[in-house]
Amino acid sequence: MKEVMILTGAGQIGMAIARRMGYGMKIVIGDKRVENAERIADTMNKAGFNATPVKIDLASRSDILALIDAARQYGEIKYLINAAGVSPSQASVETILKVDLYGTAVLLEEVGKVIKPGGAGVTISSQSGHRLHALGEEADRMLACTPSEELLRLDILRPQNICDTLYAYQLAKRCNVKRVMAEAVKWGKRGARINSISPGIIVTPLALDEFNGPRGDFYKNMFAQCPAGRPGTADEVANVAELLMNDKGAFITGADFLIDGGATAAYFYGTPKPPVF
């Protein structure tokens, strides 16, 4: 029996983290498009890893439970990397809430019940959650602590109270951070840790599509104006994840790490450019 890593979301960020932490382990890769999971598994296996693809819809509790059961066939689950999700330009309000918000809540909850002592997890949130206005203590507590099956019945999350997909995405990512804080208490009782990472614009195939899409100028301007002056890479996110998941991060749990090249700082406190006459 091996120690096991679960990776949900077969993309560049998830793979970069898995390559840092998955050596010597069984890696179970889940994605709604099984061909994506197969492609990432094949790439990793050709680099000496031991990966198996699985089809999973993060919006489905039964799929999540099946993924966990499949992973436990190989041994104890030591690591979780949740990099699954949809973007505001990809999906409806309802789908964003079901996948990014509800699905993440269920995944953290269910893996937390079986995570190996000494284990760790990271879930990929977004800088978008940091741009949302303060919701207040009561709303934050509801996002953090409401039973997962009741989350989508909260007034704050009813589609008629959400103006567009970007706001839905921001709410989902704010919820991710709050759920991580609440779940860290539960994971800690098993001697395990869970944290979140909120990346800014990271160069991936999806991001390249966004750059060339209708919101392309917005994204290009965002990273051009940030202190770093560029988008980030999946390996830079993996640098942070590696710290959070290994023993050097043993005192870090229930935290969120914003890694956006200073884009959020510029959004709130940057100096606007003077108008051109």
PDB file of all heavy atoms in Angstrom, residues 262-272:
ATOM      1  N   GLY A 262       1.045  41.374  -6.801  1.00  0.00           N
ATOM      2  CA  GLY A 262       0.651  42.679  -6.295  1.00  0.00           C
ATOM      3  C   GLY A 262      -0.549  43.287  -7.003  1.00  0.00           C
ATOM      4  O   GLY A 262      -0.869  44.459  -6.790  1.00  0.00           O
ATOM      5  N   ALA A 263      -1.255  42.480  -7.817  1.00  0.00           N
ATOM      6  CA  ALA A 263      -2.387  43.022  -8.576  1.00  0.00           C
ATOM      7  C   ALA A 263      -3.501  43.520  -7.660  1.00  0.00           C
ATOM      8  O   ALA A 263      -4.119  44.562  -7.938  1.00  0.00           O
ATOM      9  CB  ALA A 263      -2.935  41.957  -9.539  1.00  0.00           C
ATOM     10  N   THR A 264      -3.751  42.814  -6.568  1.00  0.00           N
ATOM     11  CA  THR A 264      -4.795  43.247  -5.647  1.00  0.00           C
ATOM     12  C   THR A 264      -4.379  44.527  -4.928  1.00  0.00           C
ATOM     13  O   THR A 264      -5.188  45.439  -4.707  1.00  0.00           O
ATOM     14  CB  THR A 264      -5.128  42.138  -4.641  1.00  0.00           C
ATOM     15  OG1 THR A 264      -5.575  40.979  -5.366  1.00  0.00           O
ATOM     16  CG2 THR A 264      -6.211  42.562  -3.671  1.00  0.00           C
ATOM     17  N   ALA A 265      -3.101  44.618  -4.571  1.00  0.00           N
ATOM     18  CA  ALA A 265      -2.593  45.843  -3.954  1.00  0.00           C
ATOM     19  C   ALA A 265      -2.774  47.030  -4.902  1.00  0.00           C
ATOM     20  O   ALA A 265      -3.197  48.128  -4.496  1.00  0.00           O
ATOM     21  CB  ALA A 265      -1.123  45.672  -3.586  1.00  0.00           C
ATOM     22  N   ALA A 266      -2.473  46.808  -6.177  1.00  0.00           N
ATOM     23  CA  ALA A 266      -2.624  47.889  -7.158  1.00  0.00           C
ATOM     24  C   ALA A 266      -4.096  48.244  -7.368  1.00  0.00           C
ATOM     25  O   ALA A 266      -4.439  49.412  -7.581  1.00  0.00           O
ATOM     26  CB  ALA A 266      -1.990  47.480  -8.487  1.00  0.00           C
ATOM     27  N   TYR A 267      -4.959  47.228  -7.293  1.00  0.00           N
ATOM     28  CA  TYR A 267      -6.397  47.459  -7.468  1.00  0.00           C
ATOM     29  C   TYR A 267      -6.934  48.408  -6.396  1.00  0.00           C
ATOM     30  O   TYR A 267      -7.699  49.323  -6.685  1.00  0.00           O
ATOM     31  CB  TYR A 267      -7.124  46.116  -7.415  1.00  0.00           C
ATOM     32  CG  TYR A 267      -8.629  46.206  -7.433  1.00  0.00           C
ATOM     33  CD1 TYR A 267      -9.313  46.384  -8.625  1.00  0.00           C
ATOM     34  CD2 TYR A 267      -9.356  46.093  -6.257  1.00  0.00           C
ATOM     35  CE1 TYR A 267     -10.700  46.454  -8.653  1.00  0.00           C
ATOM     36  CE2 TYR A 267     -10.746  46.172  -6.263  1.00  0.00           C
ATOM     37  CZ  TYR A 267     -11.412  46.349  -7.467  1.00  0.00           C
ATOM     38  OH  TYR A 267     -12.784  46.417  -7.470  1.00  0.00           O
ATOM     39  N   PHE A 268      -6.504  48.194  -5.151  1.00  0.00           N
ATOM     40  CA  PHE A 268      -7.003  49.020  -4.060  1.00  0.00           C
ATOM     41  C   PHE A 268      -6.211  50.311  -3.857  1.00  0.00           C
ATOM     42  O   PHE A 268      -6.780  51.355  -3.540  1.00  0.00           O
ATOM     43  CB  PHE A 268      -6.992  48.222  -2.751  1.00  0.00           C
ATOM     44  CG  PHE A 268      -8.120  47.230  -2.647  1.00  0.00           C
ATOM     45  CD1 PHE A 268      -7.868  45.876  -2.709  1.00  0.00           C
ATOM     46  CD2 PHE A 268      -9.427  47.662  -2.495  1.00  0.00           C
ATOM     47  CE1 PHE A 268      -8.908  44.949  -2.615  1.00  0.00           C
ATOM     48  CE2 PHE A 268     -10.477  46.755  -2.395  1.00  0.00           C
ATOM     49  CZ  PHE A 268     -10.215  45.392  -2.456  1.00  0.00           C
ATOM     50  N   TYR A 269      -4.885  50.247  -4.059  1.00  0.00           N
ATOM     51  CA  TYR A 269      -4.055  51.365  -3.627  1.00  0.00           C
ATOM     52  C   TYR A 269      -3.123  51.918  -4.701  1.00  0.00           C
ATOM     53  O   TYR A 269      -2.300  52.780  -4.414  1.00  0.00           O
ATOM     54  CB  TYR A 269      -3.228  50.948  -2.402  1.00  0.00           C
ATOM     55  CG  TYR A 269      -4.093  50.396  -1.292  1.00  0.00           C
ATOM     56  CD1 TYR A 269      -3.959  49.075  -0.870  1.00  0.00           C
ATOM     57  CD2 TYR A 269      -5.064  51.183  -0.685  1.00  0.00           C
ATOM     58  CE1 TYR A 269      -4.773  48.567   0.131  1.00  0.00           C
ATOM     59  CE2 TYR A 269      -5.887  50.687   0.323  1.00  0.00           C
ATOM     60  CZ  TYR A 269      -5.729  49.373   0.725  1.00  0.00           C
ATOM     61  OH  TYR A 269      -6.535  48.859   1.721  1.00  0.00           O
ATOM     62  N   GLY A 270      -3.244  51.413  -5.935  1.00  0.00           N
ATOM     63  CA  GLY A 270      -2.398  51.926  -6.994  1.00  0.00           C
ATOM     64  C   GLY A 270      -2.797  53.330  -7.402  1.00  0.00           C
ATOM     65  O   GLY A 270      -3.925  53.772  -7.192  1.00  0.00           O
ATOM     66  N   THR A 271      -1.866  54.046  -7.981  1.00  0.00           N
ATOM     67  CA  THR A 271      -2.123  55.406  -8.456  1.00  0.00           C
ATOM     68  C   THR A 271      -2.674  55.354  -9.862  1.00  0.00           C
ATOM     69  O   THR A 271      -2.017  54.852 -10.764  1.00  0.00           O
ATOM     70  CB  THR A 271      -0.817  56.240  -8.431  1.00  0.00           C
ATOM     71  OG1 THR A 271      -0.279  56.228  -7.115  1.00  0.00           O
ATOM     72  CG2 THR A 271      -1.103  57.671  -8.882  1.00  0.00           C
ATOM     73  N   PRO A 272      -3.886  55.864 -10.066  1.00  0.00           N
ATOM     74  CA  PRO A 272      -4.449  55.842 -11.430  1.00  0.00           C
ATOM     75  C   PRO A 272      -3.582  56.656 -12.366  1.00  0.00           C
ATOM     76  O   PRO A 272      -2.992  57.662 -11.979  1.00  0.00           O
ATOM     77  CB  PRO A 272      -5.830  56.488 -11.263  1.00  0.00           C
ATOM     78  CG  PRO A 272      -6.105  56.452  -9.781  1.00  0.00           C
ATOM     79  CD  PRO A 272      -4.776  56.509  -9.100  1.00  0.00           C
TER      80      PRO A 272
END
